[in-house]
Amino acid sequence: MLHSDEQLQSVLETLEECRKVLNESNGRETAELLSIVILDLRMKLKGIANAELRALCDEMLRGVSSDPASRAKPTQDQPRRPLLRVVK
C-alpha cells in the first residue's frame, strides 16, 4: 500500500504542475477540471469519503446563508457533527 501511495503522491505532484501550467497559459477551464481530479486524488490519499466532503460543503453553505434565521444553531439536543476527520 505504501508503494501505491507513493505512486499516487507522484501523480498528484505532476497533476498540480500541469494545473499550474494551464493556469499560466489561459487554460482556466481545463485547469478547473484538473482541480477536481486533484481533489479526488487527495481525498483518496487522506482517506476522506465523498459523504464527508458533502457534509462539509453543506455546513459551509449553511454558514453563507444570507438569512440569519436559516442558520440553525445546534442545540444541546442536536450536537453539531464534526466537519472533518483528523488524518495523520
Side-chain angles (χ1 to χ4, degrees):
M1 182 84 158
L2 180 60
H3 182 66
S4 177
D5 285 353
E6 288 173 357
Q7 286 178 321
L8 290 177
Q9 185 62 41
S10 177
V11 169
L12 180 60
E13 290 168 10
T14 301
L15 291 172
E16 288 173 337
E17 184 62 31
C18 291
R19 179 178 60 183
K20 180 182 173 186
V21 170
L22 287 166
N23 276 322
E24 291 170 355
S25 64
N26 295 323
R28 185 171 181 222
E29 289 178 2
T30 305
E32 287 175 357
L33 289 172
L34 197 50
S35 291
I36 295 168
V37 173
I38 290 169
L39 175 62
D40 185 62
L41 186 53
R42 283 183 181 159
M43 288 173 55
K44 282 185 175 98
L45 283 168
K46 298 295 182 180
I48 299 171
N50 287 339
E52 291 173 300
L53 178 61
R54 186 170 312 232
L56 174 63
C57 292
D58 290 345
E59 286 294 322
M60 290 174 67
L61 287 174
R62 260 190 272 204
V64 174
S65 174
S66 61
D67 179 15
S70 70
R71 294 183 196 170
K73 300 273 183 190
T75 64
Q76 288 179 337
D77 296 335
Q78 297 175 314
R80 185 178 204 153
R81 63 185 169 177
L83 298 181
L84 292 176
R85 216 173 7 130
V86 176
V87 180
K88 294 184 180 184

